[in-house]
């Protein structure tokens, strides 16, 4: 199935990152979709104030399932590895769902991942 990941990098000073970014998606039923090194070829992703869209493939969810949890992280590589993420949207036209995660935090140094969990809401 096809998933669309939309990531908004914050507009604060030095918000962008050159690090390698990974995202793990979790569904209500326990399906896990892991994607390492999110990257749009020939484009400088995760720059300050940018909104980046990624199209990935993964296991299909059932009709009543949806993505309810994400773990987004980076490997702290490259110049200016710290990254301020405003929000992440995950959607799929295959089963018609969209989930929004307000993040509003830095992913840097000793905190190289963010967990957004809406599974119990």
């Amino acid at each position: 199935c096809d998933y669309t990941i939309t990531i908004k990098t914050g507009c604060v000073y030095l918000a962008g990152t050159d690090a390698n970014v990974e995202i793990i998606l979790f569904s209500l039923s326990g399906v896990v979709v892991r994607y390492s090194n999110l990257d749009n070829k020939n484009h400088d992703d995760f720059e300050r104030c940018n909104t980046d869209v990624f199209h990935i493939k993964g296991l299909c969810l059932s009709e009543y399932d949806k993505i309810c949890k994400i773990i987004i992280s980076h490997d702290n590589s490259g110049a200016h590895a710290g990254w301020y993420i405003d929000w992440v949207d995950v959607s799929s036209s295959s089963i018609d769902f969209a989930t929004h995660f307000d993040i509003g935090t830095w992913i840097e140094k000793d905190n190289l991942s963010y967990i957004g969990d809406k599974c119990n809401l």
Side-chain angles (χ1 to χ4, degrees):
C1 284
D2 297 319
Y3 296 91
T4 300
I5 312 296
T6 306
I7 301 173
K8 171 68 172 161
T9 297
C11 293
V12 297
Y13 182 67
L14 294 177
T17 189
D18 293 321
N20 298 308
V21 173
E22 174 181 81
I23 192 164
I24 307 170
L25 313 175
F26 300 85
S27 81
L28 285 168
S29 69
V31 172
V32 177
V33 176
R34 180 183 207 129
Y35 199 86
S36 298
N37 198 20
L38 284 175
D39 184 42
N40 287 312
K41 300 294 181 210
N42 302 316
H43 177 72
D44 199 3
D45 301 308
F46 313 118
E47 293 302 304
R48 187 169 73 94
C49 292
N50 281 1
T51 301
D52 296 293
V53 179
F54 304 91
H55 301 282
I56 65 172
K57 294 194 179 294
L59 293 174
C60 291
L61 305 181
S62 70
E63 180 180 358
Y64 301 105
D65 204 4
K66 69 175 186 171
I67 298 297
C68 60
K69 179 179 175 181
I70 62 169
I71 299 176
I72 190 164
S73 61
H74 70 67
D75 63 1
N76 210 33
S77 66
H80 308 293
W83 183 29
Y84 188 90
I85 309 172
D86 266 350
W87 52 262
V88 173
D89 283 342
V90 180
S91 62
S92 176
S93 58
S94 303
I95 58 168
D96 192 30
F97 82 86
T99 307
H100 178 81
F101 297 90
D102 281 315
I103 298 178
T105 195
W106 285 96
I107 307 297
E108 64 179 344
K109 298 177 186 162
D110 295 333
N111 182 31
L112 295 178
S113 66
Y114 172 84
I115 300 171
D117 190 345
K118 295 185 170 191
C119 294
N120 295 320
L121 296 179

